[in-house]
Amino acid sequence: MKESHQRLLRNNHIWSEKKQEEDADYFKKLSQGQSPEYLWIGCSDSRVPANEVTLTHPGEIFVHRNIANVVIQTDMNLLSVLYFAVDILHVEHVIVCGHYGCGGVSAAMQHEDLGFVNNWLRSIKEVYASHKMELEAIMDLDKRERRLVEWNVIEQTNNLAKTRIVQRAWKNGSLQLHPWVFDCSNGLITELGNKITSLADVEPIFRYRL
Ligand code: CO
């Protein structure tokens, strides 16, 4: 009996052959390097694959995903990805894409002890605390959670703007930060408020003299 993971390997062969049928040089070009214009910071949730929901191809989006698309300044993984995307690949856009129905955000609204995961969800609780007045005025809990998903995306995008990686990129050129949310119920992405494009969009205390 074949295991289900073998389906993935079979599919991979089919995909590889299809790509070569479409363009005999496809993998020759793909192996020459990448120059993506976008960094996508999304949730690990299996329903929100960056390339598929944006109809983009291998090579177009540099991707970092974690639970609930959070941007924590001590996360070496995120900082390394951000540094590589901005300083080396010179991406022009960084997108933080959250999604409604996010398990991480939902868990952060509860009081269960989730062991070490408490630490990861802490930053979402901080977002909740910062917007408690607005959130707790929303009586419908689903709607309140949806709003927290949105605030989480906005605040994590703000966190990107507080890094010296992003502020240095602004000094030397341009970089746009975009807060987006994906809706699993219709597959659509919505832009949340304004993109962040310069130091002027950053709370003054977080601005560095670079
Ligand atoms: Co999620």
Side-chain angles (χ1 to χ4, degrees), residues 49-67:
N51 284 121
E52 182 149 353
V53 302
T54 56
L55 279 185
T56 48
H57 299 105
E60 289 192 84
I61 306 187
F62 203 65
V63 174
H64 177 82
R65 291 168 70 178
N66 62 39
I67 290 178

Side-chain angles (χ1 to χ4, degrees), residues 16-17 30-31 61 63 70 107 109 111 116 133 175 182 184 197:
S16 170
E17 279 166 21
L30 200 62
S31 37
I61 306 187
V63 174
V70 298
M109 283 180 72
H111 298 274
F116 72 93
M133 294 275 277
L175 182 69
F182 176 83
C184 291
T197 59

Side-chain angles (χ1 to χ4, degrees), residues 43-45 47-48 66-69 98-105:
C43 183
S44 299
D45 193 300
R47 298 167 294 179
V48 200
N66 62 39
I67 290 178
N69 42 270
H99 66 105
Y100 297 121
C102 183
V105 171

Side-chain angles (χ1 to χ4, degrees), residues 2-180:
K2 284 188 173 169
E3 291 179 70
S4 63
H5 71 275
Q6 292 189 332
R7 179 170 69 90
L8 306 187
L9 298 171
R10 282 198 307 277
N11 286 350
N12 169 252
H13 274 264
I14 295 166
W15 175 78
S16 170
E17 279 166 21
K18 184 168 155 266
K19 286 291 176 192
Q20 289 175 81
E21 277 166 25
E22 288 165 6
D23 177 358
D25 290 333
Y26 183 79
F27 290 108
K28 192 179 160 199
K29 289 183 216 157
L30 200 62
S31 37
Q32 280 167 357
Q34 60 171 339
S35 55
E37 287 176 39
Y38 315 94
L39 166 61
W40 172 284
I41 298 172
C43 183
S44 299
D45 193 300
S46 61
R47 298 167 294 179
V48 200
N51 284 121
E52 182 149 353
V53 302
T54 56
L55 279 185
T56 48
H57 299 105
E60 289 192 84
I61 306 187
F62 203 65
V63 174
H64 177 82
R65 291 168 70 178
N66 62 39
I67 290 178
N69 42 270
V70 298
V71 174
I72 297 172
Q73 76 271 25
T74 51
D75 179 357
M76 287 301 292
N77 187 349
L78 177 116
L79 290 176
S80 303
V81 169
L82 181 65
Y83 165 75
F84 193 77
V86 172
D87 277 51
I88 310 297
L89 296 173
H90 305 294
V91 299
E92 291 161 31
H93 306 271
V94 183
I95 295 151
V96 178
C97 188
H99 66 105
Y100 297 121
C102 183
V105 171
S106 179
M109 283 180 72
Q110 317 295 323
H111 298 274
E112 309 310 322
D113 171 20
L114 300 171
F116 72 93
V117 178
N118 291 347
N119 299 296
W120 191 255
L121 300 179
R122 242 286 296 280
S123 71
I124 307 169
K125 287 185 181 287
E126 302 284 1
V127 173
Y128 186 101
S130 299
H131 301 280
K132 185 176 143 185
M133 294 275 277
E134 181 193 325
L135 290 167
E136 295 191 349
I138 304 169
M139 288 306 150
D140 182 298
L141 289 184
D142 286 338
K143 285 189 183 138
R144 186 185 295 174
E145 191 182 301
R146 284 169 72 90
R147 190 62 184 142
L148 180 58
V149 163
E150 293 172 355
W151 272 122
N152 183 48
V153 169
I154 292 165
E155 294 295 6
Q156 304 306 338
T157 309
N158 288 339
N159 285 344
L160 284 175
K162 296 170 191 169
T163 65
R164 79 187 290 272
I165 298 171
V166 166
Q167 295 189 13
R168 278 180 60 235
W170 283 332
K171 193 182 176 213
N172 303 323
S174 70
L175 182 69
Q176 300 190 350
L177 312 179
H178 306 269
W180 288 3

